[in-house]
Amino acid sequence: MQLAKTLISKNGLVNDEDVNKAKNAGVADAEIAETIGHVALNVLTNYFNNVAKTEIDFPTV
């Protein structure tokens, strides 16, 4: 979804135009909220694992 990419590239500082693009593409308000939540959770998980130096225990793709 383009909104997720925009959230990442703008460090979460999306504007009304970014949100309206998603809405005009047929994305519902609940889906926008869910996308924001998923992006935030992935950022949190990545930051935590970077600090904890989590060992990756599966083969690289």
Side-chain angles (χ1 to χ4, degrees), residues 1-2 4 8 11 15 18 20-21 23-24 27 29 32 34-35 37 40 43-45 47 49 51 53 58 61:
M1 172 184 277
Q2 183 60 42
I8 295 296
N11 295 319
N15 55 37
D18 298 319
N20 286 331
K21 282 181 185 177
K23 288 182 178 183
N24 291 337
V27 181
D29 288 344
I32 290 171
E34 186 176 355
T35 299
V43 170
L44 172 68
T45 302
Y47 283 13
N49 287 319
V51 171
K53 296 179 174 53
F58 54 87
V61 178

Side-chain angles (χ1 to χ4, degrees), residues 49 52-58:
N49 287 319
K53 296 179 174 53
T54 304
E55 182 179 335
I56 298 173
D57 60 354
F58 54 87

